[in-house]
Amino acid sequence: MGGLIAIILLLSLPAVPTYAQLLPPPVPAPIDLNSRSAGDQRRVQPPATRITKRRAAELATQAYGGNVLRISLIGQGDNLRYQLRMEKEGKIFTVYVDANSGAVSTGE
């Protein structure tokens, strides 16, 4: 019975904040993005060099002649290539230029 009275008394007391509740939240240490720890040995790979749209148009024109009507970059990852719609003597055709190597091929 005495334990029950103690529990009732504890529950009836107003809530008093504890010491931990009175402390401000901890502030995280700033991160230095320029430093490298000894365990961080990753090498950052530069992006693969890619030819420009202008260079792709030059390569396609040299290989097949004609006029470039439209050019767009298609594919993903290492399979990026430029798709060029070209016109020569009234005929429309498609040419692909590899964005990494500059290799030119037809849409056939």
Side-chain angles (χ1 to χ4, degrees):
M1 184 81 173
L4 183 60
I5 294 174
I7 292 174
I8 293 172
L9 285 175
L10 286 175
L11 293 176
S12 65
L13 290 175
V16 179
T18 62
Y19 179 72
Q21 291 172 329
L22 297 175
L23 294 176
V27 177
I31 298 172
D32 185 3
L33 298 176
N34 294 320
S35 70
R36 289 190 155 232
S37 64
D40 187 12
Q41 297 298 323
R42 291 176 292 177
R43 299 274 183 227
V44 177
Q45 296 293 333
T49 56
R50 184 167 59 200
I51 64 171
T52 63
K53 283 185 177 183
R54 181 182 303 263
R55 182 64 181 145
E58 290 171 356
L59 292 170
T61 304
Q62 288 171 2
Y64 294 101
N67 299 310
V68 175
L69 303 174
R70 183 182 69 205
I71 183 170
S72 53
L73 185 63
I74 61 172
Q76 57 187 4
D78 291 336
N79 284 333
L80 286 175
R81 57 188 178 155
Y82 291 101
Q83 179 184 42
L84 294 90
R85 294 292 286 170
M86 298 183 69
E87 177 273 330
K88 182 178 181 182
E89 298 174 359
K91 295 183 181 180
I92 309 263
F93 56 98
T94 303
V95 174
Y96 295 97
V97 179
D98 187 289
N100 297 315
S101 68
V104 181
S105 63
T106 62
E108 300 172 358

